[in-house]
Amino acid sequence: MIAALVIVAVGALVAGSAGLVGSFLVLRRMTMLGDAISHAVLPGIALGFLFTGSRAAPVMLLAAGLFGLLTAYLVQALQRAGVQEDAGMGVTFTAFFSLGVVLISAFAGRVHLDLDHVLYGEIAFAPWDLWVVGGRSLGPRALWTMGAVFLTDLAAVLLFFKELKICAFDPETASVQGVNVTAFHYLLMSLVSLTTVGAFDAVGAILAVAMLVLPGATAYLLTDRLETMLALSVGIGAVTSALGYLLARATDTPVAGAMAVAGGALFALAFGWSGRKRLVRAR
């Protein structure tokens, strides 16, 4: 029972963190850039592992975060050079993701990392992957990691809510009012990178990508207010985590994949409800 609660809590923290930053990606029509970053951080994770041999090392977090920011920069640079945005994203993230796969395949024997780990993570083993300091266990490491990521994302959103909001809805007006749109763009990209890196070890690429999109996109269908959308995205993430765990138990499938499926089902329900609502308004 305790193990199940830990798994659901880790999933909820991942979904809540990703939902907060993913909501702004949805509003700015940049969800695919979040997808690109979530794949492109893989070389940084692999290099961090290779240099330190530890999944918890600050070097790994820093390297992965830098690759995430580099992805955002390259996509914009290619767009300014005349390359279509979707093509720039495709070229950048496939190149970086492939580089990460090559590094893992070539040097997986030196670190505890493989391609199954990359795709599915180890959320089912989160209750037993403990953070030990001075011979004393402080509890599941994933809870500490994702708890810190969630609080960081929440603090950034609360502290810079006004700026993030106006940059999402009207960047031209934000620029006229003296808001540094570029700085807040890269702040958002930094938060996306941090969230992705924090989630990668526990839940893998599948759930990290899904949670960057599904909670925010589902909440967007249910409300017209940004504050409510952010709160809903966190709540939807928690529900997704619980339903996904139950689905995985019932079908004996990977927990991360089942959580992604549950998130897709909630989005479909929200889409159906909002579609009926729009139809009534049209009449």
Side-chain angles (χ1 to χ4, degrees):
M1 183 63 180
I2 299 299
L5 291 176
V6 170
I7 293 171
V8 171
V10 171
L13 287 171
V14 170
S17 303
L20 286 173
V21 297
S23 293
F24 289 100
L25 294 178
V26 169
L27 291 174
R28 297 180 63 178
R29 296 181 174 89
M30 295 173 60
T31 52
M32 291 309 297
L33 182 56
D35 186 4
I37 289 176
S38 66
H39 284 78
V41 298
L42 182 58
I45 293 174
L47 289 172
F49 280 18
L50 290 172
F51 281 116
T52 65
S54 171
R55 295 176 305 180
V59 174
M60 182 269 288
L61 296 175
L62 178 61
L66 288 176
F67 268 92
L69 289 177
L70 180 60
T71 299
Y73 173 78
L74 288 177
V75 168
Q76 285 204 328
L78 289 172
Q79 187 177 5
R80 288 194 297 267
V83 178
Q84 292 184 345
E85 185 179 15
D86 57 345
M89 289 181 192
V91 169
T92 305
F93 98 76
T94 52
F96 281 163
F97 189 71
S98 300
L99 174 61
V101 170
V102 169
L103 289 172
I104 292 171
S105 299
F107 303 106
R110 295 172 54 185
V111 294
H112 180 52
L113 182 66
D114 55 40
L115 295 179
D116 286 338
H117 187 149
V118 168
L119 291 176
Y120 305 122
E122 293 186 338
I123 192 170
F125 301 101
W128 298 278
D129 184 10
L130 305 178
W131 185 21
V132 180
V133 177
R136 180 180 179 183
S137 173
L138 300 180
R141 182 162 57 90
L143 279 180
W144 284 96
T145 301
M146 291 313 306
V149 170
F150 177 78
L151 291 176
T152 300
D153 288 344
L154 181 61
V157 169
L158 292 176
L159 187 60
F160 300 110
F161 178 77
K162 179 181 177 181
E163 291 82 0
L164 290 171
K165 180 178 181 179
I166 192 171
C167 287
F169 286 107
D170 196 346
E172 289 79 12
T173 300
S175 181
V176 170
Q177 293 182 356
V179 177
N180 192 331
V181 177
T182 301
F184 283 101
H185 170 75
Y186 284 107
L187 171 64
L188 180 60
M189 295 303 102
S190 298
L191 294 176
V192 171
S193 298
L194 172 68
T195 303
T196 301
V197 174
F200 221 100
D201 184 41
V203 303
I206 292 176
L207 190 57
V209 172
M211 291 310 182
L212 277 174
V213 179
L214 288 172
T218 305
Y220 180 76
L221 295 173
L222 301 176
T223 182
D224 296 323
R225 291 179 55 85
L226 179 56
E227 297 88 340
T228 306
M229 179 180 174
L230 293 172
L232 278 175
S233 68
V234 175
I236 289 168
V239 173
T240 296
S241 177
L243 291 178
Y245 177 76
L246 293 175
L247 176 63
R249 284 287 301 271
T251 58
D252 192 25
T253 53
V255 179
M259 288 181 178
V261 170
L266 291 178
F267 175 83
L269 289 174
F271 181 79
W273 181 83
S274 65
R276 288 195 298 271
K277 185 178 178 182
R278 287 193 298 269
L279 182 60
V280 171
R281 285 180 177 176
R283 289 176 178 175

